């Protein structure tokens, strides 16, 4: 499946429009917006099916790899604030290639920048989108989405952002459950 396509509820591939609004295939304009809604619905169904943080990260990475990008990494923050790789999907060599470059803010989410940058690996441009995993005022980690050759459209960036926010809410619930279970075990 091409990187600019998502699968609808019926399993059919649906194209998202380019950044300038031109269709990439049969699904332009209204169809592009419908594709974005379908991707959002699919994310709700596939991300956060358990109250386990690692499973949620794996679901997030898998969803984005299947629908938006060539490689994904999800890093959670440990107790000291350092990154801990929780899940990856796709071509891991692109993740290493995407670590170069200078990030520039593409948008902000509650003061947390959604950053994008381009680097070159083996003569091929590698586009990177870095999205925090915020839940309220707490950031649980960082999502890195990578694509070779073509940049993320605005629709695709919005899908990545929505999926990251959705996963962050589920990560918050998983951490609350773990804290509650820890308290109960200490009380017993």
């Amino acid at each position: 499946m091409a990187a600019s396509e998502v699968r609808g509820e019926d399993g059919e591939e649906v194209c998202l429009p380019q950044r300038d609004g031109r269709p990439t295939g049969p699904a332009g304009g209204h169809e592009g917006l419908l594709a974005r809604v379908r991707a959002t619905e699919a994310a709700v169904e596939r991300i956060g099916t358990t109250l386990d943080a690692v499973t949620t990260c794996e679901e997030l990475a898998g969803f984005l790899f299947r629908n938006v990008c060539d490689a994904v990494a999800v890093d959670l923050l440990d107790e000291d604030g350092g990154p801990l790789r929780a899940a990856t999907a796709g071509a891991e060599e692109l993740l290493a290639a995407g670590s170069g470059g200078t990030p520039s803010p593409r948008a902000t989410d509650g003061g947390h920048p959604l950053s994008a940058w381009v680097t070159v690996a083996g003569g091929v441009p590698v586009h990177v989108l870095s999205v925090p995993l915020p839940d309220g005022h707490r950031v649980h980690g960082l999502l890195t989405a990578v694509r070779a050759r073509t940049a993320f459209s605005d629709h695709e960036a919005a899908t990545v952002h929505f999926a990251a926010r959705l996963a962050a809410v589920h990560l918050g619930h998983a951490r609350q459950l773990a804290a509650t279970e820890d308290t109960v075990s200490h009380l017993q």
Side-chain angles (χ1 to χ4, degrees):
M1 176 171 35
S4 63
E5 299 172 349
V6 295
R7 291 198 182 272
E9 208 172 339
D10 56 4
E12 282 188 330
E13 292 179 358
V14 181
C15 298
L16 293 173
Q18 295 286 347
R19 178 184 309 262
D20 62 4
R22 291 179 300 121
T24 58
H30 181 70
E31 287 298 317
L33 182 58
L34 287 176
R36 187 167 162 184
V37 169
R38 286 185 192 112
T40 301
E41 290 172 344
V44 169
E45 291 176 4
R46 294 183 180 107
I47 299 170
T49 62
T50 70
L51 285 173
D52 179 67
V54 173
T55 301
T56 298
C57 292
E58 290 169 348
E59 291 168 345
L60 172 62
F63 171 79
L64 291 174
F65 169 65
R66 285 188 306 275
N67 294 291
V68 182
C69 52
D70 297 326
V72 182
V74 182
D75 297 315
L76 294 178
L77 299 177
D78 63 18
E79 294 174 4
D80 299 325
L84 177 66
R85 179 80 19 115
T88 60
E92 291 192 32
E93 64 274 7
L94 288 177
L95 293 171
S99 63
T102 305
S104 61
R106 181 167 178 168
T108 58
D109 179 15
H112 306 289
L114 284 67
S115 301
W117 64 93
V118 179
T119 187
V120 177
V124 175
V126 177
H127 299 267
V128 183
L129 188 60
S130 175
V131 181
L133 300 172
D135 176 27
H137 296 291
R138 179 177 184 176
V139 175
H140 297 286
L142 185 69
L143 165 76
T144 305
V146 182
R147 176 187 285 163
R149 293 186 171 78
T150 58
F152 291 94
S153 72
D154 290 338
H155 282 296
E156 292 164 334
T159 299
V160 170
H161 177 242
F162 175 79
R165 291 295 302 249
L166 177 64
V169 169
H170 289 292
L171 290 170
H173 294 160
R175 289 191 175 178
Q176 286 176 345
L177 176 64
T180 302
E181 289 174 343
D182 187 49
T183 300
V184 168
S185 70
H186 280 94
L187 290 174
Q188 291 176 348

